[in-house]
């Protein structure tokens, strides 16, 4: 899996943010899972969940399935025995982590790009991660990532929007609501500090896990990837699950340069994409 930035994703601990766009958890039928999770604000995200931890297969301190590398920029392999699979269109950010006394003290943004935090919709999963990493090619990250020196309202990312489409029988259907990155419930410094707190202090309760133990057992990884939350679904996205032969697309684009019809055209024919767009296109197998 080749990336526009010089790193190996297999060395990076990866996570997702649950509940960072108002209404998404309700649409996904997962809001009841978080009823007993207390947050400082009503709009606050609910939890930070792991999707991949390097070296998990070498220790009993981390669930072994989290050691399976799940990312693929070209395909999703359907989980055996499951029927309800949905795109989770997100912005993903890779940070460089500073550690002191086995605690993360600072996260420096390096780059961002389009992410599909693809999820199984099923009842009874005790932890979020059980619906996220079911094996190879169960998640998506664009191979083209955009450099990011600061994560705030003055940086490049402030102008970006997240669009997503399902390509079926040659037609592109809007899957998630076209949404601005700056419209996440928590974003920029507020989100960064929330992520640091969860990485260090989140407890094993409800669907959440004590991820600090995983990171320490993994050797305190120097880089952390976080998909910062799925957008709300369109009516089509909420009511249509993925099928074999579909293509799932997530597109991050600067709104000052491109119109929605232009982005829809890129979704219909995802080739020769401009360098300031991060596009992920995965065929469903």
């Amino acid at each position: 899996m080749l990336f526009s930035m010089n790193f190996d994703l297999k060395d990076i601990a990866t996570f997702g943010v649950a509940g960072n766009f108002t209404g998404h958890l309700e649409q996904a039928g997962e809001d009841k899972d978080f009823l007993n999770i207390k947050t400082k604000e009503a709009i606050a995200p609910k939890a930070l969940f792991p999707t991949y931890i390097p070296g998990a297969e070498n220790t009993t301190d981390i669930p072994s399935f989290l050691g399976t590398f799940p990312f693929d920029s070209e395909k999703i392999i359907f989980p055996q025995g499951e029927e309800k699979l949905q795109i989770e269109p997100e912005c993903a950010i890779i940070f460089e982590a500073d550690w002191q006394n086995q605690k993360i003290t600072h996260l420096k943004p390096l780059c961002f790009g389009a992410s599909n935090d693809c999820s199984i919709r099923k009842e009874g999963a005790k932890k979020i991660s059980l619906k996220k990493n079911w094996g190879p090619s169960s998640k998506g990250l664009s191979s083209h990532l955009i450099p990011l020196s600061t994560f705030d309202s003055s940086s490049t990312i402030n102008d970006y929007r997240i669009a997503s489409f399902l390509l079926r029988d040659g037609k592109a259907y809007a899957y998630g609501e076209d949404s601005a990155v700056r419209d996440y419930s928590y974003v920029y410094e507020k989100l960064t500090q929330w992520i640091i707190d969860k990485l260090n202090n989140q407890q094993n309760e409800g669907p959440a896990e004590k991820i600090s133990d995983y990171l320490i057992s993994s050797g305190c990884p120097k880089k952390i990837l976080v998909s910062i939350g799925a957008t709300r679904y369109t009516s089509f996205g909420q009511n249509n699950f993925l099928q074999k032969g579909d293509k799932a697309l997530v597109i991050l684009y600067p709104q000052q340069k491109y119109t929605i019809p232009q982005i829809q055209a890129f979704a219909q024919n995802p080739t020769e994409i401009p360098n300031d767009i991060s596009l992920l296109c995965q065929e469903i197998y």
Side-chain angles (χ1 to χ4, degrees), residues 1 5 34 45 47 87 94 104-105 107 112 114 122 133-134 172 179 188-189 195 203 228-229 240 243 247 252 255:
M1 188 172 178
M5 305 291 289
F34 297 91
I87 305 168
I94 295 178
I104 291 178
T105 57
L107 291 174
F112 69 99
K122 62 179 180 180
N133 184 340
W134 59 83
S179 305
Y188 304 141
E189 182 64 18
I195 291 170
Q203 297 300 305
I228 63 175
N240 285 270
Q243 300 173 6
K247 288 185 178 179
L252 262 65
Q255 63 182 356

Side-chain angles (χ1 to χ4, degrees), residues 24-40:
H24 172 80
L25 290 177
E26 289 79 4
Q27 287 183 321
E30 295 179 338
D31 52 314
K32 58 185 177 298
D33 296 339
F34 297 91
L35 289 176
N36 295 321
I37 299 290
K38 293 181 172 56
T39 58
K40 291 181 179 179

Side-chain angles (χ1 to χ4, degrees), residues 226-248:
V226 182
S227 290
I228 63 175
T231 63
R232 288 181 293 273
Y233 291 118
T234 62
S235 177
F236 178 89
Q238 186 174 0
N239 293 291
N240 285 270
F241 298 106
L242 296 176
Q243 300 173 6
K244 292 179 181 179
D246 289 343
K247 288 185 178 179

Side-chain angles (χ1 to χ4, degrees), residues 59-73:
T59 174
T60 58
D61 295 332
I62 308 170
S64 60
F65 73 90
L66 289 175
T68 299
F69 185 71
F71 287 92
D72 195 317
S73 61

Side-chain angles (χ1 to χ4, degrees), residues 24 28 76 84-90 115-121 132 134 138-140 162-168 173-176 230-233 236-238 240-243 246-251 280 282 284:
H24 172 80
I76 290 285
K84 295 182 177 181
L85 200 67
Q86 282 184 300
I87 305 168
E88 293 222 347
E90 309 199 20
S115 167
N116 177 11
D117 197 32
C118 201
S119 188
I120 305 168
R121 302 298 178 209
K132 298 292 185 177
W134 59 83
S138 55
K139 312 227 73 56
I162 308 163
S164 58
F165 301 88
L166 186 149
L167 194 62
R168 178 176 289 171
Y173 299 89
Y175 203 82
T231 63
R232 288 181 293 273
Y233 291 118
F236 178 89
Q238 186 174 0
N240 285 270
F241 298 106
L242 296 176
Q243 300 173 6
D246 289 343
K247 288 185 178 179
L249 291 98
V250 182
I251 305 173
L280 172 66
Q282 296 172 286
I284 312 304

Side-chain angles (χ1 to χ4, degrees), residues 93 95 105-109 148-155 157-158 181-182 184-197 228:
I93 301 174
F95 298 93
T105 57
H106 181 71
L107 291 174
K108 176 186 175 182
L148 184 66
S149 57
T150 59
F151 184 41
D152 57 37
S153 60
S154 68
S155 63
I157 200 172
N158 191 60
V181 170
R182 61 174 176 263
Y184 276 108
S185 296
Y186 274 27
V187 72
Y188 304 141
E189 182 64 18
K190 188 173 188 178
L191 176 62
T192 303
Q193 292 305 313
W194 180 89
I195 291 170
I196 291 172
D197 176 64
I228 63 175

